[in-house]
């Protein structure tokens, strides 16, 4: 039987119109950045891993820093968009919390190298990111969720509680991803969804 051409899904940091060389360079760079780190990865390493020469890499990017920044901005934007959509899909606080936490945990399971890269390189790359990207923060989404938990609250104390709740939510999710990555906590990440949702519901009260 002829089942037609096999469909191969692209990683979400690669665009459909990216040429083959650029695709492989992006794959290789993300793999090396997420396992070795930015400093320990050279242009030569990326060229070797991708199977393309240094000149082929420079055809698409000005250098390692430009490549790393492109990957960072693209990965962050896609992660933010996915989590923002999950948050917006909920009509109630409980639905928003379930959707947001569930989406983040799914991303950790499906794209661990992306989450690891974003976490490890944020200190260096975030200040250099495009202002449009920097307006789309994960802590901003967590803050929106925390505000929805107590929409009628006002005053400085309430604002501080929102900030603390948002920091607890985002920090816990990020740390869980790191703990799973290094084997301190057992995955998959989605197995922790009900525990985390229950924890954050208590926190929001």
């Amino acid at each position: 039987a002829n089942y037609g051409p096999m469909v191969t899904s692209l990683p979400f940091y690669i665009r459909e119109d990216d040429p083959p060389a650029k695709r492989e360079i992006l794959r290789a760079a993300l793999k090396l950045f997420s396992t070795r780190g930015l400093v320990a990865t050279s242009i030569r390493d990326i060229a070797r891993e991708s199977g393309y020469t240094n000149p082929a890499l420079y055809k698409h990017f000005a250098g390692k820093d430009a490549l790393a920044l492109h990957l960072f901005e693209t990965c962050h934007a896609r992660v933010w968009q996915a989590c923002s959509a999950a948050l917006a899909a909920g009509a109630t606080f409980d639905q928003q919390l379930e959707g947001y936490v569930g989406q983040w945990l799914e991303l950790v399971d499906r794209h661990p190298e992306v989450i690891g890269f974003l976490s490890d390189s944020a200190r260096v790359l975030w200040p250099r990111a495009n202002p449009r990207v920097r307006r789309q923060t994960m802590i901003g989404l967590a803050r929106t969720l925390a505000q929805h938990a107590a929409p009628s609250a006002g005053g400085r104390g309430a604002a501080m509680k929102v900030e603390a709740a948002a920091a607890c939510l985002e920090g816990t999710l990020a740390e869980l991803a790191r703990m799973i990555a290094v084997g301190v906590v057992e995955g998959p990440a989605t197995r922790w969804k009900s525990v985390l949702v229950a924890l954050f519901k208590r926190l929001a009260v």
Side-chain angles (χ1 to χ4, degrees):
N2 183 6
Y3 296 101
M6 187 185 341
V7 176
T8 304
S9 62
L10 294 171
F12 68 2
Y13 54 87
I14 293 177
R15 298 184 350 181
E16 289 284 349
D17 59 350
D18 284 337
K22 186 176 180 180
R23 293 184 183 190
E24 292 309 311
I25 289 165
L26 289 170
R27 289 179 197 268
L30 184 64
K31 176 183 176 182
L32 294 175
F33 289 152
S34 64
T35 55
R36 298 183 185 180
L38 293 176
V39 175
T41 301
S42 68
I43 282 289
R44 185 172 297 177
D45 294 331
I46 297 169
R48 186 183 305 114
E49 179 71 28
S50 68
Y52 287 89
T53 62
N54 287 19
L57 193 150
Y58 285 114
K59 178 181 177 182
H60 299 287
F61 300 100
K64 185 183 82 169
D65 289 348
L67 170 53
L69 186 58
H70 171 83
L71 269 174
F72 182 86
E73 291 180 336
T74 303
C75 289
H76 173 79
R78 297 293 173 85
V79 168
W80 186 90
Q81 288 162 6
C83 291
S84 179
L87 181 60
T92 66
F93 169 72
D94 285 1
Q95 291 172 348
Q96 291 172 343
L97 180 61
E98 291 254 356
Y100 182 78
V101 171
Q103 179 62 78
W104 170 260
L105 297 176
E106 285 179 25
L107 288 167
V108 171
D109 286 337
R110 290 171 51 203
H111 306 288
E113 73 289 349
V114 168
I115 301 302
F117 166 63
L118 288 174
S119 175
D120 293 343
S121 61
R123 183 179 59 82
V124 173
L125 297 177
W126 181 258
R128 295 162 45 196
N130 185 294
R132 176 185 51 79
V133 173
R134 287 191 283 118
R135 284 193 293 270
Q136 300 176 333
T137 64
M138 299 304 293
I139 193 67
L141 294 180
R143 188 180 294 118
T144 297
L145 184 57
Q147 287 169 336
H148 288 179
S152 61
R156 185 169 181 271
M160 289 177 66
K161 182 177 179 181
V162 166
E163 292 299 326
C168 288
L169 171 60
E170 207 49 45
T172 300
L173 292 176
E175 186 59 29
L176 178 66
R178 280 191 287 269
M179 293 170 75
I180 291 173
V182 300
V184 175
V185 167
E186 184 180 351
T190 48
R191 75 194 294 263
W192 295 94
K193 179 180 176 180
S194 61
V195 174
L196 290 173
V197 167
L199 174 66
F200 295 135
K201 279 183 182 178
R202 291 198 299 271
L203 182 67
V205 174

